[in-house]
Amino acid sequence: MDSRPIGVFDSGIGGLTVLKALRERLPDETFLYLGDTARVPYGTKGVATIRRFALQAARYLESRGVKRLVVACNTASSHAIDLLRRECSVPVEGVVEPGVQAALEATRGHVGVIGTPATIASDRYGELLRQVRDDLRIENQHCPLFVPLAEEGWTDDAIALSVAERYLAGLRRLGVDTLILGCTHYPLLKGVISQVMGDEVVLVDSALVLAEAVARDLDEDDAHSPGPGQVKLIVSDMPQRFGEISRRFLDMDVGEVEVVDLELQAGSTPAGKENP
Ligand code: DGL
C-alpha cells in the first residue's frame, strides 16, 4: 500500500477529462491536479518553452511527494515525456502512448490525428503508430480553436459544429476510420466531432486506456492507496474560475483551489535544473 498522491498535470482544464477517468478507475487514490492556467495554452508555443513548463510542473508535483506523475496534456506528452522520464524520480505516464494503443486496436488501416499545432508538428502519434504498423495511412490536422471553445463551454452549439466542420471535413473526405482526439480538451467536443465524422468513425479518447495503464502499474508495485480517495486542485492563476469549472465537470465538492507560482518555485530549485 502507498497512500501518497498521484500527480496529474495539464496546461489548464483539459486534463480534467483525464482526472475524471482516473478517479472512476481508481476511486481510493488521492489526486493532486495541477493546471498551469497562468500559461495556457501550451499548444501554440515553441518546443523549448513547452519542455520548460512541463519540467517545472513535474518538479513542483514531485516536491509535493507524489508517487506517480500523469501528464494529462498531449502537447506536453508529445514534446516532453522523454525528458520528464529522465528527470523525474517517480514513474511518468503520458496520454500519447495509451492513445496510440487504443487506435491500433480500433483501426482498419486509416487513422486521423487531431491536436494542437505543437502536437501535430511533433508527429509523435504518427511516429509511434508507424513503429508498430508501417502500412497505416495517417492524416494529421491541427484544430486550435477547439481549445477556447471548450474553455468557454461552447461545445455543442452551431458555432462548435461549424468550426468542427471546417477542421474535419477534409479528414472525413479522406475516409479515416479512426480519429485520435489528440488533445485533452477535445473529448468535451465529442458530440460535434462525431456529428461531422459520422457514427462509423471510431473516436479515440486516451483517458480510459491511460487510467487502465496507471491501475496496472499500481497493481504491479502493490502501490494502491488504502483510501479514502480525494482530489486537490492547484493552479497557477484564476483559482475561482477553475474551481467552478471543476466542480461542474467532476460533479463533486473540490474544496479550495490552491495557487502556486511555478516560475518562483522553479527559481528555488538548484541552478539551471529548470532548463532542459
Ligand atoms: N491540454 C492541451 C493538450 O492536450 C491543450 C491545451 C493547450 O494548448 O495547452 O494538448
Side-chain angles (χ1 to χ4, degrees), residues 10-11 40-43 73-75 116 147 183-185:
D10 178 45
S11 53
V40 68
Y42 284 9
C73 172
N74 284 266
T75 306
T116 65
V147 171
C183 171
T184 48
H185 283 70

Side-chain angles (χ1 to χ4, degrees), residues 223-263:
H224 285 278
S225 168
Q230 288 175 45
V231 170
K232 178 80 212 150
L233 302 177
I234 309 159
V235 292
S236 49
D237 202 1
M238 307 293 279
Q240 204 172 332
R241 177 167 184 265
F242 195 85
E244 282 157 22
I245 294 173
S246 309
R247 215 164 288 127
R248 218 175 328 119
F249 183 71
L250 298 173
D251 194 22
M252 64 180 286
D253 178 14
V254 293
E256 200 158 317
V257 181
E258 256 181 69
V259 185
V260 61
D261 183 332
L262 290 169
E263 296 283 353

Side-chain angles (χ1 to χ4, degrees), residues 4-270:
R4 288 178 298 165
I6 295 175
V8 181
F9 89 83
D10 178 45
S11 53
I13 64 159
L16 292 174
T17 59
V18 176
L19 179 63
K20 194 170 190 175
L22 283 166
R23 262 182 56 75
E24 276 163 18
R25 180 63 184 82
L26 297 163
D28 289 333
E29 297 297 330
T30 292
F31 295 98
L32 274 188
Y33 180 99
L34 172 62
D36 193 3
T37 46
R39 306 188 292 194
V40 68
Y42 284 9
T44 49
K45 299 203 165 61
V47 176
T49 304
I50 295 164
R51 289 197 178 138
R52 182 162 53 88
F53 288 176
L55 194 55
Q56 287 174 352
R59 287 237 161 85
Y60 173 70
L61 286 169
E62 268 197 298
S63 78
R64 299 278 303 248
V66 299
K67 63 182 172 190
R68 294 289 186 278
L69 189 66
V70 173
V71 185
C73 172
N74 284 266
T75 306
S77 296
S78 296
H79 287 286
I81 200 84
D82 296 334
L83 170 73
L84 298 185
R85 286 188 174 137
R86 264 197 321 271
E87 294 289 325
C88 294
S89 56
V90 296
V92 179
E93 187 67 68
V95 276
V96 173
E97 287 142 349
V100 165
Q101 187 194 324
L104 287 167
E105 280 163 21
T107 188
R108 298 187 305 281
H110 199 176
V111 181
V113 183
I114 55 175
T116 65
T119 296
I120 295 304
S122 77
D123 194 31
R124 182 75 172 170
Y125 276 100
E127 199 184 296
L128 296 179
L129 286 164
R130 280 188 297 268
Q131 270 174 24
V132 183
R133 277 192 58 183
D134 62 5
D135 62 315
L136 284 180
R137 287 175 67 196
I138 301 168
E139 321 291 346
N140 288 301
Q141 173 67 52
H142 62 186
C143 308
L145 288 179
F146 281 171
V147 171
L149 283 174
E151 300 261 343
E152 194 63 27
W154 295 5
T155 52
D156 56 4
D157 61 4
I159 296 173
L161 185 60
S162 108
V163 174
E165 176 66 31
R166 176 119 184 215
Y167 282 137
L168 304 176
L171 294 179
R172 185 185 57 219
R173 268 196 302 275
L174 286 166
V176 301
D177 59 66
T178 300
L179 182 66
I180 299 179
L181 306 181
C183 171
T184 48
H185 283 70
Y186 296 0
L188 299 168
L189 289 131
K190 231 179 199 166
V192 290
I193 293 173
S194 175
Q195 213 173 315
V196 172
M197 295 305 294
D199 289 344
E200 65 288 355
V201 174
V202 179
L203 302 185
V204 170
D205 169 359
S206 48
L208 299 178
V209 192
L210 169 103
E212 211 45 62
V214 175
R216 219 173 21 248
D217 173 49
L218 295 179
D219 283 345
E220 278 164 17
D221 287 356
D222 192 19
H224 285 278
S225 168
Q230 288 175 45
V231 170
K232 178 80 212 150
L233 302 177
I234 309 159
V235 292
S236 49
D237 202 1
M238 307 293 279
Q240 204 172 332
R241 177 167 184 265
F242 195 85
E244 282 157 22
I245 294 173
S246 309
R247 215 164 288 127
R248 218 175 328 119
F249 183 71
L250 298 173
D251 194 22
M252 64 180 286
D253 178 14
V254 293
E256 200 158 317
V257 181
E258 256 181 69
V259 185
V260 61
D261 183 332
L262 290 169
E263 296 283 353
L264 207 65
Q265 293 289 329
S268 62
T269 61

